[in-house]
Amino acid sequence: MITSIQNDKVKNWKKLQKRKERRKSGTFLVEGFHLVEEARKSEWQLQEIIVQEGIEIPSWCRSLAITEVGENVFQYISETRTPQGIAAIVSIKQPSEIMGNYILLIDAIQDPGNLGTIIRTADAAGFDAVVLGDGTVDLFNDKVIRSTQGSIFHIPITQEPLESRIKSLQKENFSIWATALTDAKPFHRIEKQEKVGLIVGNEGAGIHENILEMANTIVNIPIYGKAESLNVSVAAGILMYHVKM
């Protein structure tokens, strides 16, 4: 059992809180029984299970490498207020290709809670894949992972420049919808399409102009009350369910 935060393994786990180290190692850390179980069920590679002393773990964990640690060590590597005492080191998995008729494209969303919620909603709405454009918060940020509630393991997600992906989708006869507040049509008045790529943009600035210009259709969500706008994760959810209905 590891009881010192000066242990080399502990130092390496702690480093995974930084994007650079996650990319360098090709791994990330997930916490909690639910997320660890979702990673396993979705056939992501679990390199190691980290368990706090005294915590009972599921029987399936015993087929994997397990490291027991003291409570002080688990608190040190945890990014949650009330850790459950179980975590896993997971290998980053890149989808081989993007397939399907409904693709969500994300332009520079920076709040990890928003990104995680949008991914979770895309999973629930039956979208086929998510593409994260430049300037978007790291997919393997702890808050993103927790906000997805496991959907990060269910739906293919890539990180790439949106311009090239939009061009390839249009060659495959996708209609590209983009959200904007001006020069846009109410979403419910747009004729449904068989293949849709939906772009949602940054919380404050919206979609970059060069990407907006590539869209086939600009849509908005009517505001009937006095609010200036909707949270991007709420707006994305409304539009994704509309597209799939």
Side-chain angles (χ1 to χ4, degrees):
M1 184 174 71
I2 300 174
T3 58
S4 172
I5 63 173
Q6 298 304 319
N7 181 280
D8 286 342
K9 288 190 79 168
V10 176
K11 289 179 180 179
N12 288 333
W13 297 335
K14 184 70 172 178
K15 288 179 181 178
L16 294 179
Q17 293 180 1
K18 297 182 179 180
R19 179 175 187 161
K20 180 178 71 173
E21 295 298 331
R22 293 192 290 267
R23 296 299 173 183
K24 182 179 177 181
S25 67
T27 62
F28 62 102
L29 187 145
V30 297
E31 284 188 61
F33 286 95
H34 175 67
L35 287 174
V36 172
E37 174 74 5
E38 288 300 311
R40 182 191 75 90
K41 290 194 300 186
S42 302
E43 299 184 349
W44 285 54
Q45 183 185 359
L46 275 60
Q47 293 190 2
E48 185 174 14
I49 300 292
I50 305 163
V51 61
Q52 181 180 310
E53 179 186 19
I55 298 296
E56 186 175 346
I57 59 175
S59 58
W60 61 262
C61 289
R62 307 204 179 277
S63 62
L64 301 169
I66 301 173
T67 300
E68 190 174 18
V69 302
E71 182 179 358
N72 65 315
V73 172
F74 203 92
Q75 292 282 352
Y76 179 68
I77 65 171
S78 173
E79 293 191 79
T80 61
R81 290 185 179 180
T82 55
Q84 296 178 11
I86 186 170
I89 305 300
V90 184
S91 297
I92 291 175
K93 180 180 176 182
Q94 299 291 348
S96 55
E97 59 181 321
I98 294 293
M99 300 178 65
N101 292 342
Y102 300 97
I103 311 297
L104 181 66
L105 303 118
I106 294 179
D107 181 30
I109 285 178
Q110 296 175 344
D111 182 271
N114 281 339
L115 179 59
T117 300
I118 290 170
I119 291 170
R120 182 180 179 183
T121 308
D123 180 19
F127 262 57
D128 299 297
V130 178
V131 179
L132 308 182
D134 296 336
T136 298
V137 63
D138 183 38
L139 174 63
F140 301 106
N141 174 292
D142 175 70
K143 290 181 180 178
V144 174
I145 295 169
R146 283 190 278 119
S147 295
T148 71
Q149 285 292 299
S151 288
I152 186 176
F153 303 119
H154 303 160
I155 185 170
I157 305 170
T158 66
Q159 296 181 294
E160 59 184 281
L162 292 189
E163 294 91 338
S164 56
R165 175 57 66 177
I166 290 169
K167 288 178 182 177
S168 66
L169 289 174
Q170 287 173 328
K171 287 180 181 178
E172 297 172 21
N173 297 317
F174 274 75
S175 177
I176 304 299
W177 290 26
T179 56
L181 296 177
T182 59
D183 299 322
K185 298 178 181 179
F187 74 95
H188 55 277
R189 295 182 182 174
I190 306 299
E191 185 177 344
K192 296 290 182 66
Q193 305 290 327
E194 204 171 295
K195 301 170 79 173
V196 175
L198 173 64
I199 312 171
V200 294
N202 177 268
E203 290 89 344
I207 297 171
H208 284 96
E209 191 64 32
N210 61 314
I211 294 174
L212 198 60
E213 290 174 354
M214 298 178 73
N216 301 104
T217 303
I218 310 295
V219 301
N220 65 15
I221 300 172
I223 301 293
Y224 300 111
K226 295 181 180 180
E228 290 185 0
S229 62
L230 289 169
N231 173 277
V232 65
S233 62
V234 173
I238 291 170
L239 293 172
M240 283 189 281
Y241 270 91
H242 173 73
V243 164
K244 283 300 299 282
M245 286 177 65

